[in-house]
Amino acid sequence: MEGQRNVSEFILLGLSHDQNMQIFCFVLFLFCYAALLLGNLLILVSIRCSSLFHQPMYYFLSHLSTLDICYTSSVTPKLIADLLVERKAISYGNCMLQVFAMHFFGTIEVLILTVMAFDRYAAICKPLHYLLIMNRTRCNLLVLAAWAGGAVHSFPQFCMVIRLPFCGPNEIDHYFCDIFPLLKVACTDTYITGVLMVANSGMVTLVTFVVLFFSYVIILFTLRNHSAEGRRKALSTCGSHITVIVLFFGPSIFAYLRPPTNFPEDKVFALFYTIIAPMFNPLIYTLRNSEMKNAMRKFWCQT
């Protein structure tokens, strides 16, 4: 703990040192963040103020929108503000809080996506028992389990990082505090800690992705027995989910399921799962969903 007190803040090297590039990124990410907030708030209000909130799929979608806002807000406002200043500093406490928030909300989002896949499996493969399987009590328990899973994953990560001694240098080659960049600047042997981090974050990401993959394989296989109209509607819904999963899990697997070291591409891939994918979620879930579009149109026209 004495070693930690030698570093009271970290310097984030950010995305680029080029001034023109930083201005471009500021405008781009400010637009992305505003679109993300507006889109997810629009979904939240439209679902909460319509009968869709009582349907399991939209109940989970409202939670996903909430998590998109929380997850991205743990990183993006700091990134946008840093693009306007030369010295991108973050205090030790805020850095540790950012590590915890990223993994806490990120894991919950991953688990909510898994719950949504289970909901689609029940709706398509067990249509006669769907309302019995996905009753409101079970939906609440699944959401609670996702939050508990986020805590179980993030607290061990946080405890391992906060025990690391930092005595200088304090420059982090990233635009936010993440585990692998912090391991690089810790003044101790971090090999075992890095392996434990990969085992935790990497395996959670991989196992969840495999479960989601096989869930949708089973769903697509079951659709062979449905009518053409039923297949079209189911594929439209599942297509939205699969698109979100690919956008989120592709970069995440690269970031965490690998040896604990830094690569130049890390920052680019991190942009996908911290900003780009959450920004596209509202578009993906609304543009391909007629019920969602009708609910939004009805509510906002009345307003």
Side-chain angles (χ1 to χ4, degrees), residues 26-45:
F26 170 79
V27 174
L28 175 63
F29 296 139
L30 182 62
F31 170 80
C32 290
Y33 187 57
L36 181 148
L37 290 177
L38 181 63
N40 281 297
L41 287 173
L42 190 63
I43 287 178
L44 271 173
V45 174

Side-chain angles (χ1 to χ4, degrees), residues 54-101:
H54 301 289
Q55 298 182 34
M57 183 177 79
Y58 298 102
Y59 174 70
F60 296 133
L61 179 57
S62 68
H63 282 279
L64 183 67
S65 292
T66 303
L67 288 165
D68 273 341
I69 294 172
C70 295
Y71 175 66
T72 307
S73 295
S74 64
V75 171
T76 308
K78 172 66 176 168
L79 167 63
I80 293 171
D82 282 347
L83 289 168
L84 296 178
V85 297
E86 185 176 347
R87 189 173 184 270
K88 303 167 177 52
I90 183 170
S91 68
Y92 175 84
N94 286 338
C95 184
M96 296 299 110
L97 180 62
Q98 199 172 64
V99 170
F100 174 77

Side-chain angles (χ1 to χ4, degrees), residues 85-131:
V85 297
E86 185 176 347
R87 189 173 184 270
K88 303 167 177 52
I90 183 170
S91 68
Y92 175 84
N94 286 338
C95 184
M96 296 299 110
L97 180 62
Q98 199 172 64
V99 170
F100 174 77
M102 279 288 297
H103 285 268
F104 180 61
F105 291 119
T107 303
I108 299 171
E109 182 159 351
V110 163
L111 295 176
I112 289 292
L113 287 171
T114 308
V115 168
M116 292 175 76
F118 175 71
D119 171 71
R120 289 302 84 202
Y121 166 80
I124 294 169
C125 302
K126 307 285 183 181
L128 298 179
H129 302 93
Y130 174 65
L131 295 178

Side-chain angles (χ1 to χ4, degrees), residues 198-245:
V198 170
N200 190 340
S201 296
M203 292 312 296
V204 165
T205 305
L206 180 63
V207 170
T208 310
F209 179 76
V210 170
V211 169
L212 288 168
F213 177 78
F214 281 105
S215 297
Y216 283 107
V217 167
I218 294 171
I219 290 171
L220 294 174
F221 184 79
T222 306
L223 285 176
R224 297 185 309 164
N225 303 322
H226 287 229
S227 64
E229 178 63 22
R231 283 199 299 271
R232 186 196 63 77
K233 186 175 180 180
L235 285 172
S236 176
T237 304
C238 291
S240 301
H241 293 190
I242 292 170
T243 304
V244 169
I245 288 166

